[in-house]
Amino acid sequence: MLILTALALAQIAPQQGPIKTFGDWVVACDNVKQCEMTSLQPEGGDWSEAGWQMAVTREAGPAGGWTVELMGQDAPAGLSVHVEGAPAASAAAVWRGTSFIGGDAFKLVEALANGKAVVVRDGAGKSLGRISLTGSSASLRFIDAEQGRAGTVSAAVAKGAKPASAAPAAPSLPVIASIRASGTPAALSPALLKQLWAQSDCAENYDGAARPDVERHALGGDATLVLVPCGAGAYNFSTIAYIVRGGKAEVAAFDSPPGWTADSPIMLVNAGFDAKTGELGSYAKGRGIGDCGSAETYVWDGTRFRLTEARVMGECRGSINWLTVWRAKAVPR
């Protein structure tokens, strides 16, 4: 019976999509084959100046379209994007303050696959910044392969003679039956509070200093989420989650722990609970500027916390755009 239970849990554990680095780009696909690639600061780049960043997303399925986004600074009127080294027909586009989609996005993607650099210019033609395209073609090829469209006419790089319909349909999002957050959080007796501090080993992080408050949130179904502070660094605050029912506490269970650690019990970072949505978040920054790390969002299903979104950025090279590797749809019951 124990073996069967373990196998069942393994089968429903989230299988996050792949993430790869090619030169100055990172690319990832989530569990339903939506793929995104985003630019990085080149190795040895100038960190003193805020730069521009580009992100390219493609939906899965035969008709999956492109979206190209520009991030970094406020875009002045008349800003344009130019791709050096690409055919003139697809090498420039005027920025309208929103994402490039449809035909505009498709032309830019074709240019990215063959270009050397993206140059951002103002309305007068003055250069405002550059984005390296080293690795962009390999990233696009990775998307072609992950979405099963290599060898089709709709591929970005790995084009072939097969029709676009040869690409597989997009998988459906996993559905999680979650519990609506409701009720009043349980009170913690002095004895139970003492037990939580001792069991978590978090009290030792505050020797000689005042301990932070322990957070309590009603989850519904007579369950209370208790977040016990467990130390802090310059920009990350650690927390251990417990579930309290009937005056007894147990460590909260998760179907997938935060991506940055394999600690037991599971340590959340910069944790926050939203009573309106019932979402519990963890957001671990690799550096203070937030250009790398991992972030997870969970919902409560009455037994454990289930992963609804995971985002990752493993390269600390200026990217504020962390890539999604897992998505699920929560349906409150």
Side-chain angles (χ1 to χ4, degrees), residues 102-177:
D104 287 341
F106 179 71
K107 288 181 179 179
L108 274 176
V109 168
E110 284 192 320
L112 298 180
N114 299 290
K116 302 299 183 182
V118 171
V119 181
V120 181
R121 295 176 180 166
D122 63 15
K126 178 184 177 182
S127 175
L128 300 177
R130 296 169 64 86
I131 300 170
S132 168
L133 289 180
T134 300
S136 60
S137 181
S139 298
L140 290 168
R141 186 181 293 275
F142 179 87
I143 292 175
D144 288 340
E146 285 295 314
Q147 294 185 336
R149 63 179 84 251
T152 71
V153 296
S154 67
V157 176
K159 292 183 180 295
K162 296 178 183 177
S165 59
S172 299
L173 281 173
V175 177
I176 297 172

Side-chain angles (χ1 to χ4, degrees), residues 45-74:
D46 185 358
W47 294 98
S48 65
E49 297 182 4
W52 293 90
Q53 186 179 2
M54 180 169 280
V56 179
T57 304
R58 190 171 201 182
E59 301 291 335
W66 295 99
T67 301
V68 179
E69 297 177 89
L70 194 64
M71 298 168 284
Q73 304 178 18
D74 292 335

Side-chain angles (χ1 to χ4, degrees), residues 50-259:
W52 293 90
Q53 186 179 2
M54 180 169 280
V56 179
T57 304
R58 190 171 201 182
E59 301 291 335
W66 295 99
T67 301
V68 179
E69 297 177 89
L70 194 64
M71 298 168 284
Q73 304 178 18
D74 292 335
L79 179 142
S80 61
V81 175
H82 300 257
V83 182
E84 291 182 345
S90 60
V94 176
W95 186 249
R96 299 181 178 88
T98 57
S99 303
F100 291 114
I101 58 175
D104 287 341
F106 179 71
K107 288 181 179 179
L108 274 176
V109 168
E110 284 192 320
L112 298 180
N114 299 290
K116 302 299 183 182
V118 171
V119 181
V120 181
R121 295 176 180 166
D122 63 15
K126 178 184 177 182
S127 175
L128 300 177
R130 296 169 64 86
I131 300 170
S132 168
L133 289 180
T134 300
S136 60
S137 181
S139 298
L140 290 168
R141 186 181 293 275
F142 179 87
I143 292 175
D144 288 340
E146 285 295 314
Q147 294 185 336
R149 63 179 84 251
T152 71
V153 296
S154 67
V157 176
K159 292 183 180 295
K162 296 178 183 177
S165 59
S172 299
L173 281 173
V175 177
I176 297 172
S178 61
I179 302 294
R180 293 182 184 275
S182 62
T184 302
L188 302 180
S189 67
L192 183 54
L193 191 58
K194 181 178 180 180
Q195 174 193 329
L196 289 171
W197 280 112
Q199 182 179 337
S200 64
D201 290 329
C202 293
E204 63 186 26
N205 293 306
Y206 305 102
D207 284 345
R211 296 176 187 173
D213 292 335
V214 172
E215 289 187 31
R216 298 175 296 124
H217 302 279
L219 293 175
D222 297 324
T224 295
L225 168 65
V226 177
L227 299 175
V228 179
C230 206
Y235 41 82
N236 285 324
F237 300 84
S238 300
T239 303
I240 295 179
Y242 287 85
I243 302 299
V244 172
R245 288 191 182 96
K248 297 182 178 180
E250 60 181 13
V251 177
F254 292 78
D255 66 350
S256 180

